[in-house]
Amino acid sequence: MQYMKESPTLAGDKVTLRKIDPEKDKRDFYKMFKEADMHLWTGNKIFKNEEEAHNELKKYRDLEGLIAWALIKNETNQFIGTYWIAPAIIDGKKIISAEAQRIDKTYWRKGYTKEARKLVYDYAFHVLEVDEIYAQAWENNRNSCLSMEKAGFVLTDSVEREFSKYGERYIENHYVLKKRLWLKMKESLQG
């Protein structure tokens, strides 16, 4: 069974998630990725130019096995980030094997990621009918770990492995969010 590749539009009060448009989004994506803090705990790097940003957006949009969105601030219709999920079927179970979001630092801790996450998880659990969503974060990336835990993710494993970006070994936390727990936690994300 294959999941549809098309990225449906998901609309909330603060943000809308729409299909990535590399030509339209590259300038804002490039500007957003200049922020060094965004890359401390990711495999991403700062782009050299808009063409690199354009190519990365095309990769997100076209990569088999990903459903990717541009995050748009409703108030201004401005591109403020990206979000992607990797649906899969493993041993007959529908899951999201990984998910990631990158949002302009200007919008950190202001509810934009929280709302985008709610929209994506509702889509994953109700439309794609997945049973579980998996995510990983480096233990030292406390903000990501706390954000996932607040959304209802449960720590399932911590593994020491090399973070190739730094050439050092770090602890990577592995999390899972189960559908039944998400339904209970959803109310706290609406506040």
Side-chain angles (χ1 to χ4, degrees):
M1 175 180 185
Q2 289 279 11
Y3 283 108
M4 68 178 198
K5 173 64 183 132
E6 201 60 36
S7 304
T9 299
L10 307 175
D13 295 329
K14 295 177 91 150
V15 296
T16 296
L17 287 85
R18 63 148 168 82
K19 183 178 179 180
I20 289 174
D21 181 339
E23 196 59 43
K24 181 178 180 180
D25 300 332
K26 69 181 178 183
R27 177 170 286 131
D28 288 330
F29 191 54
Y30 172 63
K31 283 193 268 183
M32 179 183 95
F33 258 56
K34 286 183 178 182
E35 174 55 58
D37 286 350
M38 179 179 292
H39 308 290
L40 290 176
W41 296 107
T42 71
N44 300 112
K45 60 182 170 97
I46 296 173
F47 301 127
K48 294 178 185 146
N49 52 48
E50 281 186 23
E51 190 60 29
E52 283 188 2
H54 181 268
N55 291 338
E56 188 74 3
L57 286 169
K58 280 178 31 180
K59 185 172 79 174
Y60 286 164
R61 183 196 66 195
D62 299 339
L63 191 62
E64 190 65 35
L66 283 189
I67 299 175
W69 292 274
L71 268 72
I72 306 302
K73 180 179 176 185
N74 289 342
E75 189 178 334
T76 60
N77 203 33
Q78 178 186 355
F79 173 98
I80 62 168
T82 59
Y83 204 122
W84 62 258
I85 58 175
I89 298 175
I90 300 190
D91 297 329
K93 184 189 274 190
K94 295 178 183 180
I95 66 166
I96 300 297
S97 62
E99 61 112 19
Q101 59 286 139
R102 304 288 183 262
I103 188 167
D104 188 303
K105 187 176 179 180
T106 307
Y107 301 99
W108 290 3
R109 296 178 208 37
K110 295 182 179 173
Y112 292 93
T113 302
K114 183 182 193 181
E115 184 177 79
R117 179 177 276 153
K118 178 194 171 300
L119 293 166
V120 169
Y121 294 175
D122 277 347
Y123 171 72
F125 287 128
H126 297 297
V127 177
L128 297 180
E129 297 179 334
V130 301
D131 299 308
E132 298 173 345
I133 298 174
Y134 292 87
Q136 302 80 33
W138 295 106
E139 183 178 65
N140 290 359
N141 186 355
R142 290 305 307 148
N143 287 334
S144 287
C145 292
L146 291 171
S147 177
M148 285 190 287
E149 291 165 10
K150 188 174 180 181
F153 278 87
V154 175
L155 180 65
T156 59
D157 199 10
S158 294
V159 178
E160 183 178 320
R161 71 178 191 89
E162 183 171 327
F163 188 7
S164 60
K165 182 175 191 171
Y166 298 126
E168 296 180 27
R169 296 186 72 75
Y170 289 93
I171 301 295
E172 183 181 64
N173 287 339
H174 295 236
Y175 293 91
V176 65
L177 176 62
K178 296 182 184 266
K179 184 176 185 174
R180 68 181 186 283
L181 187 54
W182 167 250
L183 295 175
K184 288 181 187 175
M185 292 295 296
K186 190 171 138 179
E187 288 300 314
S188 70
L189 290 176
Q190 293 175 346

